[in-house]
Amino acid sequence: MITYAEEQAIALDNIRKGLATKVRILVPDHACPVCQHYAGVYELDDVPIIPFPGCSCPEGCHAVYEPVLDTFGP
């Protein structure tokens, strides 16, 4: 069984290998202040690693990576 950190590392690697131009970090509304701080869009080379140092979410970090696909279309 893989850990949450390993799962997110795989997701980030897949995003970098795909068609994404940037990476968005999504966090739930109930996330701790540390996670809320990291929510947003990052360049592919500047993405912070999940879980974030100092995360104090009661059940662990629930932040996720999502690809940003903003250069497609006619």
Side-chain angles (χ1 to χ4, degrees), residues 8-9 11-25 40-49 65-72:
Q8 290 308 305
L12 180 57
D13 189 49
N14 288 338
I15 290 169
R16 285 184 171 144
K17 290 178 182 175
L19 301 173
T21 57
K22 295 181 182 178
V23 176
R24 181 181 319 277
I25 294 179
V41 176
Y42 295 85
E43 297 295 327
L44 292 175
D45 294 334
D46 297 328
V47 181
I49 301 301
Y65 297 118
E66 292 288 332
V68 175
L69 307 169
D70 61 2
T71 60
F72 295 95

Side-chain angles (χ1 to χ4, degrees), residues 27-39 42 52-58 61:
V27 299
D29 291 337
H30 63 275
C32 73
V34 170
C35 290
Q36 294 290 339
H37 169 77
Y38 284 102
Y42 295 85
F52 309 116
C55 170
S56 61
C57 293
C61 188

